[in-house]
Amino acid sequence: MKKLLLLLVCGIAMVACHENLEQRAARQAKEFTQKNCPSAIRDNVRTDSLTYDEATRTLIYSYTLFNELDDSANMKAQEAKSVEGLRNALTRDISMKTYKDAGFNIRYVYHSNKKPQLILLQKTFTPEEYQ
């Protein structure tokens, strides 16, 4: 009886400590942002944050663009090419495999450095678009 009780308690403890994929995504996004953001400016881009929206199962990467990339007319003209580049990179990204296999959405948001409230490019990829 004692062994059965001990096994039951250990089993409950193990289940209580286990996080699901959504909880893991939220935790890892928060940890990534705390550790890496804002990043150094590289190729006129700075990584500002990674967040997880549980309601839509979406990982959201937020960036700020600088210098010649911080131009709404240029970004509008290059939007199709930029979106295709993001899609190709996401499709090849093996570090996202767990989340892609689970059907998460992935959103990229690029803000202007000159006008931080201005979104220069925003694209959400659904599993149908990146697989």
Side-chain angles (χ1 to χ4, degrees):
M1 185 67 172
K2 287 183 182 180
K3 287 182 183 179
L4 181 59
L5 185 58
L6 180 62
L7 285 173
L8 183 60
V9 169
C10 288
I12 291 171
M14 289 177 67
V15 171
C17 293
H18 185 71
E19 64 183 355
N20 64 31
L21 189 57
E22 285 76 12
Q23 292 166 329
R24 178 176 149 194
R27 178 184 51 79
Q28 288 182 334
K30 182 178 179 180
E31 289 172 356
F32 176 87
T33 299
Q34 290 172 339
K35 183 177 180 182
N36 300 299
C37 299
S39 69
I41 299 169
R42 200 171 124 214
D43 298 326
N44 297 314
V45 179
R46 178 184 69 208
T47 305
D48 295 321
S49 68
L50 171 60
T51 57
Y52 177 66
D53 180 2
E54 188 174 357
T56 61
R57 297 187 80 219
T58 304
L59 285 166
I60 305 163
Y61 289 89
S62 295
Y63 301 94
T64 297
L65 300 178
F66 293 83
N67 303 319
E68 63 270 7
L69 293 181
D70 190 358
D71 179 332
S72 58
N74 184 43
M75 287 304 291
K76 192 70 171 167
Q78 298 293 323
E79 184 173 359
K81 184 177 177 181
S82 298
V83 167
E84 189 58 30
L86 289 170
R87 181 190 337 271
N88 289 337
L90 179 58
T91 301
R92 292 188 312 265
D93 188 353
I94 60 171
S95 70
M96 299 288 294
K97 181 176 179 8
T98 300
Y99 298 115
K100 292 190 304 187
D101 288 350
F104 281 50
N105 298 310
I106 313 294
R107 179 180 302 143
Y108 298 95
V109 182
Y110 291 86
H111 292 269
S112 166
N113 179 57
K114 296 174 203 167
K115 300 177 184 175
Q117 298 305 315
L118 176 63
I119 295 175
L120 297 169
L121 177 67
Q122 179 172 235
K123 174 62 181 165
T124 302
F125 292 100
T126 62
E128 295 78 23
E129 293 175 296
Y130 63 69
Q131 291 185 356

